[in-house]
Each structure stands twice: as C-alpha cells, then as structure tokens.
Amino acid sequence: MPMIRDSEIMRRIREGDAGQFESLFRSSYVSLVRYAKTIIKDHDTAEEIVQDLFVRLWQDRQKLKIESSLNGYLFRSVHNRCLHWLDHSRVVDNHAREMAVRDVQNAENPVEIIQYKELQLKIAEILERLPERCGQIFCMNRFEGLKYIEIADKLSVSVKTVEANMGRALKEFRKALK
C-alpha cells in the first residue's frame, strides 16, 4: 500500500473522513502518549492530553492548516499542551499554598488551623484525581471567579462542556468530603 502524503491525509480529515482520522489516531497515539509522559511523568494525564488533542483536531478539522509535517505538528501540539498542563498545575499548587498561608494567618485557634490544613490537602488530592480539563474548569470557576461562559470562551469549548465538567468535579468533591 503506497504511503499517503500528509497533505492528502489532512485533506481527507478536513472532509470528514473518519476512517483516515482513526488511522492517524491509531498510528500516532502510543508514541504521542509516551512523549507526553516524558514531560508530565503521569501516564493517565499523558493519555488525557493526547486524547484531548485528537478530540480538538477532529472538532477543528475544517479550519486546520498544518504547514509542517503532520507528525511534527502532533508532537509540537502535545509538547505545548504538556507545558500548559504543567503551568496550570503550578498555578493550582501556588493558589492552594497561598490560601493555606492566608487562612492559617487568619485562623484563631490551633484546632482550626489543623482542620483547615487537612481540608486544603483533601482539596488538592481531589483536584489531582480529576481529569485535567475538569480540574482546570473547576479552578477557573472557583478560584479565578470566572463564569461558565467566560471559561467556555477561554477554552474554546461549549458552555455545556463546562457545565458537565463542573458537575463531575462537584460530584467528586461531594463524594470525597462526606
């Protein structure tokens, strides 16, 4: 079977050829996850990043313009998404630390301080278990004070996606904090 050029693969995908898209996914997935894992150091998060890339690739297929090689584009996209995830994780960690320090300073007795630190740790654990997008949406809403529509605009997703992810996050928090 002759090799298909990147431009032909992208033309087919832009035209909605799900078989071609699936073929690209199957041929690239494992190596992209392996690459993401070298940056992220967590297999589940690496898989989520790659899956999210392919979802976005399919959603935006008609307006996608790839100037370099398709393989180069995929690896660069995974690289950028991993860096974004790392930045986001640092923001969440810094925020949790700042909140803990601020609240410890405002707490009146040692029991409250201990309880608050335990709660902060529990919140950090729950956020860590959430899928990347879900945790990101939760933090944008609860820590940054953004409305669902603002989050949807920033992340280029639908408000329904934001609502679904917030519902999932809140369900996890309720379950874990019972």
Side-chain angles (χ1 to χ4, degrees), residues 13-175:
I13 290 172
R14 265 194 299 279
E15 292 173 356
D17 184 337
Q20 183 67 64
F21 181 77
E22 183 179 347
S23 176
L24 175 64
F25 177 82
R26 288 184 185 280
S27 67
S28 306
Y29 183 77
V30 172
S31 57
L32 290 172
V33 169
R34 244 188 244 126
Y35 178 64
K37 192 175 174 189
T38 65
I39 300 169
I40 298 295
K41 310 293 186 230
D42 177 66
H43 184 78
D44 291 339
T45 303
E47 279 191 326
E48 190 174 317
I49 287 170
V50 173
Q51 290 166 3
D52 187 57
L53 167 66
F54 276 98
V55 167
R56 189 63 60 94
L57 188 68
W58 182 253
Q59 288 172 341
D60 296 341
R61 68 187 176 277
Q62 290 161 334
K63 53 188 168 185
L64 199 60
K65 301 274 188 262
I66 297 177
E67 304 298 325
S68 63
S69 75
L70 185 53
N71 204 32
Y73 172 84
L74 293 172
F75 276 89
R76 174 56 55 193
S77 295
V78 166
H79 182 83
N80 290 339
R81 286 169 180 270
C82 288
L83 294 181
H84 176 76
W85 184 87
L86 289 170
D87 285 344
H88 176 72
S89 292
R90 276 192 284 277
V91 168
V92 169
D93 291 345
N94 288 341
H95 180 76
R97 274 195 297 281
E98 287 173 17
M99 293 300 292
V101 167
R102 185 179 329 140
D103 289 334
V104 165
Q105 291 169 344
N106 293 334
E108 293 187 21
N109 70 48
V111 173
E112 286 179 0
I113 293 170
I114 292 169
Q115 288 173 337
Y116 187 77
K117 284 183 178 180
E118 288 173 354
L119 180 60
Q120 287 291 10
L121 282 173
K122 190 74 170 168
I123 290 170
E125 287 173 15
I126 296 166
L127 281 173
E128 198 63 36
R129 285 196 311 257
L130 291 175
E132 177 195 4
R133 171 68 48 89
C134 188
Q136 180 182 22
I137 288 171
F138 180 84
C139 290
M140 291 172 83
N141 177 255
R142 296 302 165 116
F143 298 145
E144 297 173 29
L146 297 178
K147 294 178 175 23
Y148 287 8
I149 193 156
E150 294 171 318
I151 297 169
D153 286 343
K154 276 190 169 193
L155 298 178
S156 301
V157 298
S158 71
V159 174
K160 288 283 186 202
T161 299
V162 174
E163 289 171 356
N165 278 282
M166 278 300 293
R168 181 177 182 183
L170 292 172
K171 182 179 176 185
E172 287 298 315
F173 275 96
R174 277 188 223 105
K175 187 168 63 176

